Amino acid sequence: MPPKALDYESLNENVKKVQYAVRGELYLRASELQKEGKKIIFTNVGNPHALGQKPLTFPRQVVALCQAPFLLDDPNVGLIFPADAISRAKHYLSITTGGLGAYSDSRGIPGVRKEVSEFIERRDGYPSDPELIYLTDGASKGVMQILNAIIRGEGDGVLVPVPQYPLYSAAISLFGGSLVPYYLEETANWGLDLNNLRQSVAQARSKGITVRAMVIINPGNPTGQCLSEANLREILNFCFQEGLVLLGDEVYQQNIYQDERPFISARKVLMGMGLPISKEVQLVSFHTVSKGYWGECGQRGGYFEMTNIPPQTVDEIYKVASIALSPNVPAQIFMGLMVNPPKPGDISYEQFVRERYAL
């Protein structure tokens, strides 16, 4: 009798090639020990709330009201929730179609995408188009969506830093591509040496691999460094010369605990480089509510922004996003609140700041 479709020997080989140590053998063994009564502290993945970090009050208040809008009709709602949380909840409900239980636009709620674009413009000093921002179920889903669009087969390579977060090696294997490693320089604060990068590309090409994209993780995971502006310029010049799309994993941009080297987005540096590079280098940048002082990993909220991506390609990415119908809607509200938190003068501002800096 021939093997059935889901027998191990007849599975898609790409699935079997995937390795993801974050949830792999050690994690499964630790889970078994936990069931036996052993106390296990899971540090295999950044999961702050699982380790005791308290959620910020304001976003939870707003989302609670959005999840249970009947509370807004209660005459005593103002005794429990501050006025600014009530106002924000009403705003978000007004820009959804049917509340949090209904599908949104496949790209995400337009009003939240506008909040994200305004955040990016404040951060970088350059305009951002909300039509080129897609909300996703965590940054990981966005990364996988873009890699899926880039990788056509095993002859296509993606430059990935070493050390890296294993999402990239796993996703590249799943989509049938080839990982092309480049090595960060520990003695240079985990910076990037262009000669090393060129060697990685040359070695890949000698094996018949077409390098199509480059990943940067900035701030670094697991290395924790921020790439300097000079290093980012070198990277963008390299991508321009080689015709590579740059994937900027910037999910740790709020996890900066030193003043020596601040976070600078790849997009800000790109826009400041002027023509022709600023209009030629294709860049996709990723962010999430899972990291920083929010740490809302379980909410699964993220976004990616596309820069210099042709309209026809954007249409294809939209088509694929549409297969899933909609990113989860409560997480979109969390994203809106992350990029547009309470401001000075708001009722909840002082508590929000207090909680942020107490973490």
Side-chain angles (χ1 to χ4, degrees):
M1 189 174 187
K4 300 180 181 69
L6 285 176
D7 286 350
Y8 179 79
E9 58 268 30
S10 61
L11 286 178
N12 181 336
E13 286 300 318
N14 289 341
V15 171
K16 292 193 272 188
K17 287 177 185 175
V18 169
Q19 295 184 27
Y20 192 65
V22 166
R23 298 287 192 187
E25 190 176 337
L26 286 175
Y27 168 79
L28 294 174
R29 177 59 181 147
S31 298
E32 289 173 7
L33 292 171
Q34 188 178 53
K35 289 175 185 176
E36 294 171 9
K38 303 269 194 315
K39 183 180 178 181
I40 304 292
I41 298 174
F42 287 89
T43 58
N44 56 306
V45 65
N47 196 11
H49 291 194
L51 297 175
Q53 179 176 313
K54 301 298 181 187
L56 299 170
T57 301
F58 182 76
R60 290 298 184 99
Q61 289 172 326
V62 174
V63 174
L65 288 166
C66 290
Q67 289 280 27
F70 54 83
L71 293 175
L72 294 167
D73 299 325
D74 190 310
N76 295 318
V77 65
L79 299 177
I80 303 171
F81 295 92
D84 51 354
I86 293 170
S87 174
R88 288 293 290 276
K90 287 179 177 178
H91 164 70
Y92 285 121
L93 288 171
S94 75
I95 62 173
T96 64
T97 305
L100 272 59
Y103 291 129
S104 75
D105 185 294
S106 297
R107 297 163 293 185
I109 300 166
V112 176
R113 287 189 281 129
K114 185 172 185 293
E115 286 184 299
V116 173
S117 73
E118 290 167 350
F119 157 77
I120 293 169
E121 185 168 344
R122 288 193 304 271
R123 184 195 67 190
D124 294 344
Y126 297 96
S128 170
D129 184 353
E131 294 300 305
L132 297 176
I133 293 166
Y134 283 34
L135 305 182
T136 55
D137 294 338
S140 298
K141 281 292 180 71
V143 168
M144 293 181 74
Q145 190 173 333
I146 297 301
L147 286 174
N148 191 28
I150 291 169
I151 296 169
R152 302 165 300 182
E154 63 182 356
D156 285 344
V158 179
L159 283 160
V160 176
V162 178
Q164 56 121 2
Y165 178 61
L167 162 67
Y168 295 96
S169 52
I172 291 166
S173 293
L174 183 61
F175 298 133
S178 296
L179 184 144
V180 180
Y182 68 90
Y183 296 88
L184 302 178
E185 295 288 333
E186 184 175 4
T187 55
N189 195 21
W190 297 106
L192 189 155
D193 185 331
L194 274 193
N195 290 327
N196 180 290
L197 203 54
R198 291 190 183 98
Q199 284 178 351
S200 295
V201 171
Q203 287 173 3
R205 286 175 177 160
S206 71
K207 299 172 186 174
I209 295 170
T210 301
V211 180
R212 287 171 52 82
M214 176 178 177
V215 173
I216 57 170
I217 306 176
N218 181 42
N221 180 14
T223 49
Q225 89 291 3
C226 286
L227 291 173
S228 68
E229 182 174 351
N231 224 173
L232 285 165
R233 284 177 173 273
E234 289 179 327
I235 291 164
L236 289 160
N237 265 313
F238 180 80
C239 289
F240 175 64
Q241 293 162 5
E242 299 291 340
L244 307 180
V245 58
L246 181 63
L247 307 186
D249 180 332
E250 298 175 338
V251 302
Y252 283 97
Q253 61 188 263
Q254 293 171 327
N255 292 86
I256 309 299
Y257 306 108
Q258 46 79 29
D259 299 323
E260 179 186 346
R261 185 177 288 175
F263 165 77
I264 307 172
S265 74
R267 183 179 180 276
K268 180 176 183 175
V269 176
L270 175 63
M271 293 296 100
M273 291 178 75
L275 297 173
I277 289 178
S278 62
K279 290 292 185 182
E280 289 292 333
V281 173
Q282 296 180 343
L283 169 68
V284 185
S285 307
F286 304 89
H287 199 9
T288 182
V289 302
S290 298
K291 309 305 175 188
Y293 56 90
W294 285 65
E296 293 280 6
C297 302
Q299 307 296 347
R300 308 312 301 133
Y303 75 75
F304 63 83
E305 181 195 28
M306 296 172 281
T307 302
N308 297 330
I309 307 300
Q312 283 182 305
T313 302
V314 173
D315 289 345
E316 293 299 311
I317 290 169
Y318 170 68
K319 178 179 70 179
V320 174
S322 300
I323 294 170
L325 293 176
S326 164
N328 91 75
V329 178
Q332 296 183 50
I333 307 302
F334 272 100
M335 177 56 72
L337 291 162
M338 186 186 82
V339 298
N340 187 18
K343 297 176 177 61
D346 291 349
I347 294 168
S348 297
Y349 176 74
E350 288 187 10
Q351 180 182 9
F352 181 83
V353 171
R354 232 179 10 254
E355 292 177 347
R356 171 183 177 176
Y357 288 105
L359 295 174

